[in-house]
Amino acid sequence: IVRAAVESGAEAVHPGYGLLSENAALAEACAAAGLVFVGPSAAAMSAMGDKAAARRLVASHGVPIVPGYEGDHQDAAKLLAEAGAIGFPVMIKAAAGGGGRGMRLVESPGRFEEAAQSARREAERAFGDGRLILERAILGSRHIEVQIVADSRGNIVQLGERDCSIQRRHQKVVEETPSPAVDSELRQRMGQAAVEVSRAVGYTNAGTVEFLLDAEGNFYFLEMNTRLQVEHGITELVTGLDLVALQLSIAAGEALPLGQGDITFRGHAIECRVYAEDPASGYLPSAGRITVFEPPSGEGVRNDVGTYPGDEISTYYDPLLAKLLTWGQDRAQALQRMQEALAAYRVEGVKTNLSLLRTVLAHPAFQAGQAATDFLQQDLNPEALAAGVAEDALLAAFGAIMLGLGARRDPWHAAGPWRPGGTTLVELQHEGTVYPLEGRREPGSAHDWLVQTLGTEHRARFVAAGKDTIIVECDGQSRPSQIVRLSNGIDVNTQGQTYRFRFAHREERHVPPEGHREQGLTAPMPGLVLRVLVREGERVRTHQTLVVLEAMKMEHAIEAPHDGIVKKLHCAEGGRVAEGALLIELEQEAAP
């Protein structure tokens, strides 16, 4: 990067907001080459980038910190002893990290050693530093961060707080400003604490001080992000300021053009991060080629996009595809605009979290401004989410087959259904699961059906709206879906999510006899095999971690679905595997 900047004649380097933007070595290399680094000094980055040192520094200035351990002794026994002294549950964090890498929540001593080893490996790979710190886990807390901007002349302003409590794997999913949990008095105290932290480290340029806010209104310093944040756009929407422009002017040596009293806040803003991942499968990343990418538009809608149709989404980078932001005169309007924008968002080619985002925005706890950091774990059931989304698509697929939409020949033969006693059965396979749909037409009606799927019977009305669109009226709602018929299945796009169903054969529903089963564990996504934790012939227990994969900068544990014996290994540490590749043959025996 430095060589490219020098050869192009550039004066400065803006590092964006990836992991390299917090790498002090880049700031030092820029300075050595005579380039301006658009960010804080390398010294400030090092001071705040080391979570252990940062905790000690801010505590010395009277800013409250979460009780924990940030000592130099890093052996397993010492860490476990310190965790016991802090009290479980505890949070393990990479001392040199950020962005959710190297973080693990541990609820009991028996899980601590494995979690610490995993966190250390991830930290070493991401940051080249495996040191860990421990903090007491404050469950049910809010994640509140304060945006600050400081020039080289000692002027510092804070631009209000952002609520980033909706998280998965300790990474943010939805952010908003102002926070529904922060009143004016608390806002003033948190803002002043953020300024004190910034002044203590001699900070310049844009940065963010992050806090945990507990249910009693107490806040604790978490860390300082010495860079522009992914979610900086919502602060821009409510302040009218351009944070990148301020970064550039400060880097050029200019003074801040405004003081704290000049900053005004207007309205409310929300951001949703669109990820290439499957929320119903433990947020596994989804690699592939983007075939359709259609972000929404409208009043109060902003799209920050780095993805376009035809892009290849690989396993080497973060799964963030785009950011969707909305502004409103108040929270209710910003929320309504976000819901409308999410409903219009369309991405095909990879799985996305759009369905999750729609569910979050519609949830009563989020609408009431009460969602905490454990919201996705406590308030949303991924299995129920998957079933609810798939249900709409299943009904649309069934109706399209019954109406013959897109079919070049008789839909009965195309789908292979049969109808004993007037009942039609269609079996569709999606991502390895076979879904049977049984339906019967209402007497005297050409469009009304009783359809049973996922254990529930629905009264549905199917109406064709052109050759490739079906409207499903069910449970008091009417939803259009786009249909594409394939030689061996059907694609359904509903509410911006595309499902590819294959017509299942009867033998795919076959269950092996009780007493002896073999099951092959396959790679849920392409990635690098970091660890193989079992040997052939070894007995394993349910939920035991067998293989650890790395994809999109995160570790993913492949667990045993049942007790059994490892019959054969098909992978080795250091090797790369494709999605669906067989990793382990696992034999299950009947209980005695």
Side-chain angles (χ1 to χ4, degrees):
I1 289 175
V2 171
R3 184 170 62 249
V6 171
E7 291 177 356
S8 67
E11 295 176 285
V13 172
H14 192 298
Y17 44 62
L19 292 177
L20 198 59
S21 63
E22 293 183 296
N23 191 320
L26 176 62
E28 292 169 347
C30 287
L35 297 165
V36 173
F37 179 81
V38 183
S41 66
M45 292 172 70
S46 296
M48 287 289 106
D50 187 323
K51 286 186 172 66
R55 282 172 53 86
R56 291 190 288 264
L57 176 65
V58 301
S60 70
H61 284 75
V63 177
I65 62 174
V66 180
Y69 172 75
E70 62 275 356
D72 295 330
H73 298 290
Q74 293 282 304
D75 61 275
K78 173 65 174 177
L79 290 176
L80 179 58
E82 291 292 341
I86 294 167
F88 287 89
V90 298
M91 188 72 75
I92 301 172
K93 294 184 177 182
R101 272 76 174 184
M103 289 183 63
R104 301 290 186 274
L105 174 64
V106 186
E107 297 181 349
S108 64
R111 308 278 298 187
F112 184 84
E113 184 176 354
E114 180 182 349
Q117 290 176 355
S118 176
R120 194 183 302 280
R121 283 196 310 272
E122 197 168 86
E124 288 172 346
R125 295 180 65 81
F127 315 112
D129 187 338
R131 289 178 302 121
L132 302 175
I133 67 169
L134 307 176
E135 291 180 346
R136 178 184 297 163
I138 302 177
L139 303 180
S141 58
R142 306 287 285 251
H143 186 124
I144 309 294
E145 62 186 27
V146 178
Q147 177 72 58
I148 65 96
V149 182
D151 63 23
S152 58
R153 309 181 189 193
N155 302 307
I156 306 176
V157 296
Q158 56 92 3
L159 304 182
E161 84 284 356
R162 297 185 289 253
D163 194 318
C164 310
S165 299
I166 306 298
Q167 301 180 5
R168 56 93 174 105
R169 292 189 168 188
H170 313 298
Q171 291 183 312
K172 301 162 188 173
V173 178
V174 180
E175 303 100 347
E176 62 179 309
T177 184
S179 169
V182 176
D183 59 24
S184 57
E185 187 271 336
L186 180 57
R187 179 171 296 114
Q188 174 65 27
R189 288 195 291 122
M190 295 183 80
Q192 186 58 41
V195 170
E196 288 300 321
V197 169
S198 305
R199 198 177 303 281
V201 76
Y203 198 86
T204 57
N205 217 272
T208 306
V209 182
E210 303 199 343
F211 301 96
L212 273 185
L213 177 66
D214 68 19
E216 286 73 43
N218 304 305
F219 66 88
Y220 306 90
F221 171 81
L222 271 182
E223 64 179 349
M224 184 175 191
N225 286 306
T226 55
R227 55 176 169 82
L228 193 68
Q229 290 279 75
V230 174
E231 60 274 14
H232 72 277
I234 55 174
T235 296
E236 294 182 333
L237 290 176
V238 298
T239 62
L241 300 173
D242 185 330
L243 292 185
V244 178
L246 285 174
Q247 281 191 296
L248 295 174
S249 65
I250 292 169
E254 298 176 10
L256 279 172
L258 71 175
Q260 192 65 56
D262 301 317
I263 297 167
T264 57
F265 301 94
R266 175 174 170 266
H268 197 98
I270 302 173
E271 174 183 283
C272 288
R273 301 191 189 192
V274 181
Y275 287 112
E277 64 184 16
D278 184 3
S281 298
Y283 303 101
L284 285 175
S286 177
R289 187 172 297 280
I290 299 290
T291 57
V292 174
F293 187 83
E294 298 176 0
S297 60
E299 186 174 0
V301 175
R302 165 175 160 176
N303 289 287
D304 288 4
V305 173
T307 303
Y308 304 91
D311 280 357
E312 183 72 25
I313 306 303
S314 80
T315 60
Y316 297 103
Y317 304 102
D318 188 274
L320 183 64
L321 299 178
K323 301 179 294 177
L324 175 64
L325 303 85
T326 59
W327 176 90
Q329 295 181 2
D330 53 27
R331 188 173 189 265
Q333 187 179 54
L335 183 59
Q336 178 184 2
R337 287 175 172 174
M338 179 59 76
Q339 290 182 286
E340 292 172 352
L342 286 171
Y345 219 120
R346 189 176 176 213
V347 181
E348 296 180 19
V350 296
K351 296 179 183 135
T352 72
N353 67 331
L354 284 168
S355 59
L356 173 75
L357 294 171
R358 297 185 189 104
T359 303
V360 169
L361 269 290
H363 196 281
F366 183 83
Q367 296 224 339
Q370 298 173 346
T373 52
D374 57 0
F375 172 79
L376 291 184
Q377 292 74 38
Q378 300 295 327
D379 294 88
L380 286 187
N381 183 327
E383 289 76 16
L385 173 67
V389 173
E391 194 167 63
D392 292 338
L394 286 166
L395 289 172
F398 181 87
I401 293 169
M402 295 306 101
L403 296 176
L405 287 182
R408 297 183 179 179
R409 53 196 179 100
D410 188 342
W412 303 109
H413 293 104
W418 50 282
R419 38 179 166 175
T423 298
T424 300
L425 172 65
V426 176
E427 294 179 325
L428 300 174
Q429 186 183 71
H430 177 64
E431 297 179 353
T433 301
V434 175
Y435 296 90
L437 296 97
E438 287 192 15
R440 64 182 185 275
R441 200 189 306 269
E442 293 268 42
S445 173
H447 302 287
D448 297 332
W449 289 74
L450 288 174
V451 183
Q452 183 165 339
T453 180
L454 299 173
T456 304
E457 187 172 68
H458 299 275
R459 190 179 301 274
R461 181 177 178 84
F462 303 125
V463 180
K467 65 180 181 179
D468 59 358
T469 301
I470 184 172
I471 296 176
V472 180
E473 299 176 6
C474 182
D475 301 328
Q477 295 183 317
S478 177
R479 291 194 179 96
S481 299
Q482 282 68 51
I483 303 298
V484 177
R485 290 297 296 271
L486 309 171
S487 60
N488 66 338
I490 184 170
D491 277 0
V492 177
N493 183 278
T494 180
Q495 300 185 77
Q497 191 80 9
T498 297
Y499 299 86
R500 174 156 291 182
F501 297 108
R502 186 165 62 85
F503 299 131
H505 300 294
R506 193 60 36 85
E507 56 268 22
E508 293 178 57
R509 292 176 52 83
H510 174 68
V511 178
E514 289 298 324
H516 186 289
R517 284 197 292 167
E518 292 181 8
Q519 181 169 347
L521 297 182
T522 58
M525 69 283 179
L528 175 68
V529 180
L530 289 183
R531 299 194 70 194
V532 178
L533 300 173
V534 291
R535 301 183 303 274
E536 291 181 359
E538 182 176 341
R539 291 184 179 274
V540 298
R541 65 185 187 278
T542 305
H543 299 310
Q544 179 179 339
T545 300
L546 309 181
V547 177
V548 179
L549 299 180
E550 182 191 59
M552 293 186 174
K553 303 301 182 184
M554 299 290 285
E555 287 193 7
H556 306 274
I558 309 300
E559 299 181 342
H562 50 69
D563 293 349
I565 299 173
V566 177
K567 185 177 180 181
K568 190 172 183 178
L569 294 174
H570 291 267
C571 62
E573 293 183 1
R576 300 203 68 87
V577 294
E579 181 177 2
L582 183 62
L583 301 175
I584 290 179
E585 291 181 40
L586 186 63
E587 183 179 89
Q588 180 184 13
E589 295 181 338

